[in-house]
Amino acid sequence: SLKHAILGFLSFVPLSGYDLKKAFDKSVSHFWPANQSQIYRTLAELEREGLVEKEVIPREERLDMKIYDISEAGRTELHRWLATPLPPQDTREPFLIQVYFGGQLTDEELIHLLQHEITGVQERLEVYKMVYALSQEQPSRVTDPRAIFMSLLTLEYGLTGQVVLLQWLQRAL
């Protein structure tokens, strides 16, 4: 839920919408991308629900800056959501449908399909490695070692999954 992801970021430190977008891009975009308009729309919803508070900082030559902070009600909602097991999610993998019915393709077509998927996996692995390198190089606003550890676990999940997928694709090829 984008709502809960935003509350999670704001539980670390108050942020503007622009800074939230940067936080998504530098940390969770490999499994939960969000665009600027979605973030601002969700911030407005969270403010209406009383889950965030907004401070407007006037600026003379530019638009006023809006800084959002999680409210006590927001912390309660985030904690409730984090502690609640999620229902199983339907997984749809269009590529696996192609593989399943791939017996109708020529060897050349299958090889092309598999090689294309391998290229995509290799590109995602490079993104994960870049995200990891950025997490090591740039100082984070998050200083809680437990929070940092948990965020790195999500990166490990992505890396591990892509490595296993790459191995499977190479065996299939």
Side-chain angles (χ1 to χ4, degrees):
S1 153
L2 179 59
K3 170 181 168 177
H4 295 99
I6 289 173
L7 288 174
F9 282 116
L10 294 178
S11 73
F12 294 142
V13 63
L15 296 166
S16 68
Y18 175 77
D19 289 331
L20 269 168
K21 173 65 173 143
K22 288 193 323 189
F24 269 89
D25 290 348
K26 290 184 350 187
S27 61
V28 299
S29 65
H30 55 285
F31 63 88
W32 199 271
N35 65 44
Q36 197 75 45
S37 62
Q38 290 174 311
I39 290 171
Y40 281 112
R41 198 170 38 251
T42 305
L43 281 168
E45 178 187 328
L46 290 168
E47 186 180 12
R48 278 192 304 275
E49 294 175 6
L51 301 177
V52 299
E53 297 164 350
K54 176 175 67 179
E55 177 187 1
V56 178
I57 300 172
R59 299 190 297 185
E60 289 183 20
E61 297 183 19
R62 298 186 351 212
L63 293 174
D64 293 346
M65 184 166 39
K66 298 171 185 138
I67 303 293
Y68 296 87
D69 196 2
I70 191 169
S71 66
E72 275 309 309
R75 286 189 189 284
T76 300
E77 169 57 20
L78 177 60
H79 188 270
R80 181 206 62 75
W81 185 80
L82 290 171
T84 303
L86 297 173
Q89 302 294 308
D90 288 339
T91 302
R92 290 184 171 90
E93 293 291 342
F95 174 70
L96 290 180
I97 292 293
Q98 290 179 307
V99 171
Y100 188 88
F101 294 108
Q104 299 175 41
L105 298 175
T106 66
D107 286 349
E108 292 78 24
E109 290 169 321
L110 277 170
I111 289 168
H112 173 75
L113 189 68
L114 292 168
Q115 286 176 332
H116 178 77
E117 193 67 19
I118 286 171
T119 299
V121 170
Q122 289 169 331
E123 289 170 359
R124 284 189 295 278
L125 279 169
E126 289 305 311
V127 168
Y128 290 149
K129 290 174 185 175
M130 182 185 68
V131 169
Y132 180 76
L134 284 174
S135 75
Q136 301 302 302
E137 293 171 6
Q138 297 177 347
S140 173
R141 291 181 170 180
V142 180
T143 57
D144 176 19
R146 184 178 172 90
I148 293 169
F149 173 76
M150 297 308 293
S151 70
L152 289 175
L153 274 179
T154 65
L155 186 56
E156 181 183 340
Y157 173 88
L159 278 165
T160 302
Q162 293 303 299
V163 166
V164 169
L165 178 55
L166 183 59
Q167 291 168 347
W168 178 81
L169 286 163
Q170 289 168 335
R171 281 194 313 274
L173 186 59

